[in-house]
Amino acid sequence: CERCQCHGEDKRTAILYTLLSQNLSHSRGSHSPTQQRCLCQQRRTVCLRTPHVTCQAASNVLVKTISFMKNLPSFQLLPREDQLLLLDSCWVPLFLLGLVQEMVTFEVMETPAPSMLKKILLDGQSQRREPERTQPTLAAVQRLQCCLNSFWSLDLSPKEYAYLKGAILFNPDVPGLRASLYIESLQREAQRALQEVLHALHPEDQGRFARILLIASTLKSIPPALITDLFFRPVIGNTDIMELIAEMLYE
């Protein structure tokens, strides 16, 4: 990281590291300078500490998320094109709500860096290798966990989750929708049902509805690439996640 100011005061480097770095730099020439691992905590790449357990839990949540859509008659009545547009737009916030509802927690650890010796040995094969997968950063994962913690603090009931999911799913602002007016009416219906539930469960908390919608809006800011790389890339590899989700919806 050229602009990173996080390098420590001790810049002494091991002799082997220096020799290998110079060798790697000379072998690559001026086209690809040696990449240095960023020491800044926020920019460090991370991966799941227990990928087998967490990816399995995430897959179960995704299956339940798609089943929620499939079991909505109003969603099934929409044109197929609109269904796919809504799916592409809302699968991430709906999935994250599922993580919250199922109380799925996870921990990350720093991604192990490939050794300098391995880089040198594989450098001649770089043209034949597949491009390296992107890895989530610690800052991005911390932001995600902050959003999830905000929802856990709300302690939503099952009915609140259901109507909130409907309000998120039926988003009339998605570009290209053919039945946007009908979708808008479905969103208003879901929001009205959510308000009625809140009035019955929390009559003293007049600001709960606005607070729920505000926190729900933060879920839409989470990039799909982050969710894919963190929870599903270890399982699906380079497969397109949207193709898999569409197959699940129409299987």
Side-chain angles (χ1 to χ4, degrees):
C1 296
E2 296 179 356
R3 294 184 299 274
C4 185
Q5 304 297 323
C6 56
H7 289 59
E9 295 180 358
D10 186 4
K11 296 186 178 180
R12 293 174 300 176
T13 310
I15 297 177
L16 178 60
Y17 182 89
T18 302
L19 293 176
L20 294 180
S21 299
Q22 292 175 351
N23 190 9
L24 181 61
S25 178
H26 293 330
S27 65
R28 288 184 176 179
S30 59
H31 297 289
S32 179
T34 302
Q35 295 292 327
Q36 292 186 352
R37 187 169 180 81
C38 179
L39 302 179
C40 176
Q41 185 180 20
Q42 292 299 309
R43 297 191 183 197
R44 287 179 178 175
T45 58
V46 294
C47 59
L48 293 172
R49 185 174 297 276
T50 55
H52 176 72
V53 175
T54 306
C55 289
Q56 181 61 54
S59 298
N60 293 338
V61 170
L62 184 61
V63 169
K64 291 182 179 181
T65 300
I66 304 303
S67 297
F68 168 78
M69 299 183 192
K70 294 173 66 173
N71 293 329
L72 285 177
S74 52
F75 181 79
Q76 296 299 324
L77 292 176
L78 294 173
R80 186 184 181 97
E81 295 82 357
D82 285 6
Q83 293 178 10
L84 291 174
L85 288 173
L86 293 178
L87 176 67
D88 182 58
S89 172
C90 74
W91 78 268
V92 168
L94 290 183
F95 167 76
L96 294 178
L97 274 182
L99 289 183
V100 177
Q101 189 171 12
E102 298 294 328
M103 300 295 292
V104 176
T105 60
F106 61 93
E107 294 182 0
V108 296
M109 64 180 184
E110 186 174 355
T111 305
S115 66
M116 190 66 64
L117 180 60
K118 182 178 179 181
K119 289 182 178 181
I120 294 175
L121 295 177
L122 296 179
D123 184 62
Q125 308 173 18
S126 60
Q127 298 299 325
R128 296 189 295 272
R129 287 181 298 159
E130 295 181 357
E132 295 184 359
R133 300 171 186 167
T134 58
Q135 291 286 343
T137 63
L138 179 60
V141 172
Q142 288 178 338
R143 181 182 180 188
L144 167 61
Q145 291 177 323
C146 181
C147 292
L148 299 180
N149 289 334
S150 297
F151 260 104
W152 275 318
S153 67
L154 292 173
D155 193 21
L156 299 181
S157 67
K159 286 187 176 181
E160 287 175 295
Y161 275 115
Y163 294 131
L164 179 58
K165 290 178 181 178
I168 292 176
L169 172 59
F170 297 116
N171 181 10
D173 297 326
V174 175
L177 293 174
R178 295 170 53 188
S180 58
L181 293 180
Y182 175 59
I183 293 173
E184 183 178 6
S185 68
L186 294 174
Q187 185 183 65
R188 287 199 302 266
E189 181 180 342
Q191 291 176 344
R192 182 167 54 250
L194 176 59
Q195 285 180 307
E196 292 176 357
V197 170
L198 293 177
H199 181 71
L201 297 178
H202 307 277
E204 74 290 345
D205 192 350
Q206 300 296 323
R208 185 174 176 84
F209 178 73
R211 193 160 60 252
I212 289 176
L213 294 185
L214 178 62
I215 297 179
S217 66
T218 64
L219 299 180
K220 299 179 181 179
S221 67
I222 303 299
L226 171 62
I227 302 304
T228 303
D229 292 337
L230 185 63
F231 295 109
F232 301 109
R233 196 63 70 197
V235 177
I236 68 174
N238 293 325
T239 305
D240 188 344
I241 185 67
M242 282 307 303
E243 291 183 2
L244 291 179
I245 294 177
E247 290 179 5
M248 293 170 62
L249 183 63
Y250 296 114
E251 65 181 358

